[in-house]
Amino acid sequence: MNTNRRCGALARALALAFLVAIGTHAQAQTDPLPSWNDGAAKQAITAFVKDTTTQGSPKFVPQPERIATFDQDGTLWVEHPMYSQVMYILESVPALVKAKPELAKVAPYSTVLEILKGDRAAFARLTMPDLEKLAAATLTGMPVKTFAAQAKNWLAEAKDPRWKKPYTELTYLPMQEVLTYLRANGYKTYIVTGGGQDFVRQYSEKVYGVPPEQVVGSAGGTKFGYAKDGKPFLIKEPRLLLNDDKAGKPEGIHLMIGRRPVAAFGNSDGDREMLEYTKAGDGARLAMIVMHDDAKREYAYGPAKGLPATKIGAFSQAFYDEAMKKGFVVISMKDDWKRIFAFE
Amino acid sequence: MNTNRRCGALARALALAFLVAIGTHAQAQTDPLPSWNDGAAKQAITAFVKDTTTQGSPKFVPQPERIATFDQDGTLWVEHPMYSQVMYILESVPALVKAKPELAKVAPYSTVLEILKGDRAAFARLTMPDLEKLAAATLTGMPVKTFAAQAKNWLAEAKDPRWKKPYTELTYLPMQEVLTYLRANGYKTYIVTGGGQDFVRQYSEKVYGVPPEQVVGSAGGTKFGYAKDGKPFLIKEPRLLLNDDKAGKPEGIHLMIGRRPVAAFGNSDGDREMLEYTKAGDGARLAMIVMHDDAKREYAYGPAKGLPATKIGAFSQAFYDEAMKKGFVVISMKDDWKRIFAFE
């Protein structure tokens, strides 16, 4: 080998090492949102990320302030025909009844047993106080560790009635891409859900890459105590600290995060105050609403834009009109999403 | 320039670029805790970090689970002669009285005015309900943004009576080193304080590198509403959601973080339950207590180990005995800390 060739080999080896070392900065310019069709919604996301992360841009946001919040049910995954956590509550009743057989003949436990036997119409007989009673019975009274194990077991077994897949697979691929894209650009991504904080925390890291400490949800108190062997533990109490829905969302964000989000994503009137609060901040702000207008690939419900009315995740015409007026961006599942699920 | 010299220059340029690119991985093996004297306390920290971050170690902790919690007053900064937030409350009273002059003659406002005029003895006349009333009057009723600005203004002006320095400079350098050392090893560091969450969040990032969302403190509710121009805002309410002291600390940790810490640091009986809860987890755990036994360089108070009794940050003999029995590590300010403040 002559000197020149040796020199070339050395330079190549160093150049390679250099490229490997800076690899994370040298990402190929691939589309970060491949499951999105080109259109105003996709454009709004990429423009927002560019504006807020380009040094010198008038809309630049320093990295510590890059907070993005996502509603879960209906925004990140399927919420019809019923919120998965309500299914958890109902499907936890047989174990309760097994432990206390006298409950089998007492409403609302008896009603739930009928629903689980296939009598879907019985569901209409459950009142809100019934659901609260069932929630207290299935979500509280046990150590936090026991609840975590029960929820994880259920999540591993339970299946959505339409796709016959675990709920944790029914996440929207386009929204997973948004989570990943924002994180790759220095955003901290939070889930802000009306669902139970302790419940969502059992799968948020695995399903969305969102760690438990970045889940804000409806939360009850716990009580610190000691077991007989002196070991300390926390018991889940039926005492609501935060009802993380509607006005409770910005209130929960202040409590748990302490900063106003720069971007927020929702799908229903329950997210209205979170989106208003986010959008009202200074500088660049992104507020987006997933509209369920795809009866074929997922579900269609509103009643905004003449979509069928629903009790689960309703998106009203009034909120739609406000969104248009205030520059919130509506995402049409039908038109904006090329693909909805990873398993398709 | 001949070929060989050109080749050398190219190789050197690439080698330099390579070294710059991997610089963060090539830290010199310097002492991460230079303000600590060699001893059991320093040793406990470095051994814990090594054990929990060495791949293949039986005590290895995956990075997402590396949560460390720190009490603030008395653990990260000076808490004598009085908690800084109590000083904030007292020193906010003149502005209240200016807005409502009739308060000047009404207790507890009149008592506070006497204290601020120099009558330190008047402090003894303030009862706990008085302090709660003063806290409600100075910490609530305003938008969160207004409170943040008021707290920041005070922090920029207020001075500790002994060192005549801003409170934010009275942090313990050895503990700052622990924060930095843990973060450099993949730990997420949290402040878990009996102080007001919204208050501590105004300076935690600047003073400790702990962002607002990693501050767990005593927290009141907020109320979402709209201003006359339709802009949404949050008002601080005199409604306590979390009393983040004693049993409230593990309860607050569960609410805000949702994971049991692997390491926890405190200094008083108010941190007892947090340390017990941390230490009772599986695997490697570190629980440390700062003992104020340095009357000359800082303060001496206990009453553990015969130190003078105190109402502010008391460390009881019973907690000391439990600490010894359970393997909590006591840090002696006098013996373990080479230097206490950065300004020394």
Side-chain angles (χ1 to χ4, degrees):
Chain A
M1 198 185 270
N2 68 25
T3 312
N4 252 353
R5 279 187 60 192
R6 238 188 299 136
C7 161
L10 172 63
R12 274 196 301 277
L14 282 165
L16 181 68
F18 176 62
L19 286 174
V20 168
I22 63 158
T24 49
H25 300 284
Q27 292 166 326
Q29 289 300 307
T30 50
D31 183 355
L33 303 172
S35 301
W36 290 72
N37 288 316
D38 290 328
K42 180 174 182 171
Q43 167 81 30
I45 301 167
T46 52
F48 169 80
V49 167
K50 200 182 160 203
D51 285 348
T52 57
T53 61
T54 305
Q55 280 279 4
S57 147
K59 292 183 176 174
F60 180 76
V61 176
Q63 184 161 342
E65 289 165 30
R66 292 185 201 155
I67 302 284
T69 56
F70 292 80
D71 167 56
Q72 196 202 204
D73 295 305
T75 299
L76 294 179
W77 77 2
V78 175
E79 65 184 344
H80 273 213
M82 181 47 69
Y83 302 122
S84 57
Q85 189 169 6
V86 174
M87 292 312 300
Y88 174 77
I89 291 169
L90 302 183
E91 293 182 359
S92 297
V93 166
L96 278 186
V97 171
K98 202 174 167 190
K100 287 190 191 174
E102 65 273 23
L103 294 179
K105 300 197 168 172
V106 184
Y109 306 96
S110 53
T111 318
V112 173
L113 295 178
E114 289 169 44
I115 296 169
L116 295 177
K117 273 181 203 145
D119 181 4
R120 294 249 152 206
F123 195 83
R125 292 211 306 276
L126 287 180
T127 62
M128 194 47 81
D130 283 343
L131 273 172
E132 282 166 14
K133 194 173 182 176
L134 291 165
T138 56
L139 307 178
T140 72
M142 70 290 280
V144 297
K145 221 174 152 177
T146 306
F147 173 76
Q150 288 172 346
K152 275 188 175 146
N153 284 345
W154 182 82
L155 286 159
E157 299 287 332
K159 291 212 162 67
D160 164 86
R162 174 167 162 190
W163 285 276
K164 321 282 182 208
K165 287 185 181 294
Y167 292 98
T168 50
E169 287 184 29
L170 294 176
T171 70
Y172 306 134
L173 185 59
M175 295 306 290
Q176 291 273 16
E177 290 170 2
V178 174
L179 285 165
T180 304
Y181 179 43
L182 286 174
R183 287 196 293 258
N185 282 281
Y187 277 86
K188 234 177 181 171
T189 54
Y190 281 81
I191 290 173
V192 177
T193 174
Q197 185 168 275
D198 281 350
F199 186 72
V200 178
R201 280 174 170 173
Q202 302 315 317
Y203 56 84
S204 63
E205 190 151 34
K206 202 172 148 193
V207 174
Y208 303 112
V210 173
E213 60 269 24
Q214 286 165 223
V215 173
V216 177
S218 294
T222 55
K223 193 163 174 52
F224 179 87
Y226 301 94
K228 276 179 200 157
D229 64 0
K231 271 215 165 190
F233 62 84
L234 292 169
I235 293 276
K236 283 172 69 62
E237 289 194 314
R239 172 171 59 91
L240 192 68
L241 284 181
L242 174 65
N243 179 6
D244 197 50
D245 194 30
K246 301 186 187 287
K249 290 208 171 191
E251 292 163 7
I253 286 169
H254 180 73
L255 177 68
M256 304 279 195
I257 310 177
R259 309 196 202 239
R260 195 194 293 245
V262 187
F265 300 79
N267 77 297
S268 78
D269 287 20
D271 304 311
R272 188 170 182 166
E273 288 83 354
M274 173 170 76
L275 267 64
E276 289 173 341
Y277 183 64
T278 300
K279 190 75 179 165
D282 300 327
R285 302 282 156 169
L286 182 64
M288 299 191 85
I289 307 169
V290 174
M291 184 165 66
H292 294 261
D293 57 357
D294 195 330
K296 205 175 147 208
R297 294 189 299 169
E298 203 242 10
Y299 294 101
Y301 51 94
K305 298 271 281 175
L307 291 163
T310 177
K311 280 186 180 176
I312 308 290
F315 176 27
S316 69
Q317 187 62 40
F319 183 29
Y320 180 89
D321 292 341
E322 179 189 350
M324 291 299 103
K325 217 171 93 186
K326 292 190 174 164
F328 301 175
V329 181
V330 171
I331 299 164
S332 158
M333 287 185 105
K334 194 159 162 254
D335 299 332
D336 288 313
W337 290 357
K338 204 178 283 176
R339 214 172 135 191
I340 294 188
F341 301 109
F343 58 77
E344 278 173 356
Chain B
M1 198 183 271
N2 67 23
T3 313
N4 254 353
R5 280 186 60 192
R6 238 188 299 139
C7 163
L10 173 64
R12 273 197 301 278
L14 282 166
L16 181 68
F18 176 63
L19 286 174
V20 169
I22 63 159
T24 49
H25 300 283
Q27 292 167 328
Q29 289 302 309
T30 50
D31 182 355
L33 302 172
S35 301
W36 291 71
N37 289 315
D38 289 329
K42 180 175 182 171
Q43 168 79 31
I45 301 167
T46 52
F48 169 80
V49 168
K50 201 182 159 203
D51 284 348
T52 57
T53 61
T54 305
Q55 280 278 3
S57 147
K59 292 182 175 176
F60 180 76
V61 176
Q63 184 162 341
E65 288 165 30
R66 293 184 201 156
I67 301 284
T69 56
F70 293 79
D71 168 56
Q72 196 202 203
D73 294 305
T75 299
L76 295 179
W77 77 3
V78 175
E79 65 183 345
H80 272 213
M82 182 47 69
Y83 302 122
S84 57
Q85 189 169 5
V86 174
M87 292 311 300
Y88 174 77
I89 292 168
L90 301 183
E91 294 182 1
S92 297
V93 166
L96 278 187
V97 171
K98 203 173 165 191
K100 287 190 191 173
E102 66 274 22
L103 293 179
K105 300 199 170 170
V106 184
Y109 305 97
S110 53
T111 318
V112 174
L113 295 177
E114 288 169 44
I115 296 170
L116 295 177
K117 273 180 202 147
D119 182 4
R120 293 251 151 203
F123 196 82
R125 293 211 305 276
L126 288 180
T127 61
M128 194 46 81
D130 284 344
L131 274 172
E132 282 167 13
K133 193 173 184 177
L134 292 165
T138 56
L139 306 177
T140 72
M142 70 289 280
V144 297
K145 220 174 153 176
T146 307
F147 172 76
Q150 288 171 347
K152 275 188 174 145
N153 284 344
W154 182 83
L155 286 158
E157 299 287 334
K159 292 213 163 66
D160 164 86
R162 175 168 161 189
W163 285 277
K164 321 280 184 210
K165 287 188 182 292
Y167 291 98
T168 50
E169 287 183 30
L170 295 176
T171 69
Y172 306 133
L173 185 60
M175 295 305 290
Q176 291 273 16
E177 290 170 1
V178 173
L179 284 166
T180 304
Y181 179 43
L182 287 173
R183 287 197 292 259
N185 282 281
Y187 278 86
K188 233 177 180 171
T189 53
Y190 282 81
I191 290 174
V192 177
T193 174
Q197 184 167 274
D198 280 351
F199 186 73
V200 178
R201 279 174 170 173
Q202 302 316 316
Y203 56 84
S204 62
E205 190 152 33
K206 202 173 148 193
V207 174
Y208 302 112
V210 174
E213 60 270 25
Q214 286 164 226
V215 173
V216 177
S218 294
T222 55
K223 193 164 172 49
F224 180 87
Y226 301 94
K228 277 179 198 155
D229 63 2
K231 270 214 165 192
F233 62 83
L234 292 169
I235 294 275
K236 282 172 69 64
E237 289 195 313
R239 172 172 58 92
L240 193 68
L241 284 181
L242 174 64
N243 180 6
D244 197 50
D245 194 30
K246 301 185 188 288
K249 289 205 171 192
E251 291 163 8
I253 287 169
H254 180 73
L255 177 67
M256 305 279 196
I257 310 176
R259 308 195 202 240
R260 195 193 293 246
V262 187
F265 301 78
N267 77 296
S268 77
D269 287 18
D271 304 310
R272 189 170 182 167
E273 288 83 354
M274 173 171 76
L275 268 63
E276 289 172 342
Y277 183 64
T278 301
K279 190 74 180 167
D282 300 326
R285 301 283 157 169
L286 182 64
M288 300 191 84
I289 307 169
V290 174
M291 184 165 65
H292 293 261
D293 58 357
D294 194 329
K296 205 172 148 210
R297 293 189 300 169
E298 204 242 11
Y299 294 101
Y301 50 95
K305 298 272 281 174
L307 291 163
T310 177
K311 281 185 179 177
I312 308 289
F315 176 26
S316 69
Q317 187 61 41
F319 183 28
Y320 180 89
D321 293 341
E322 179 188 349
M324 292 298 104
K325 217 171 91 185
K326 292 190 175 166
F328 301 176
V329 181
V330 172
I331 299 164
S332 158
M333 286 185 103
K334 193 158 161 255
D335 298 331
D336 288 314
W337 290 358
K338 202 178 284 177
R339 213 171 135 192
I340 294 188
F341 300 109
F343 59 75
E344 278 174 355

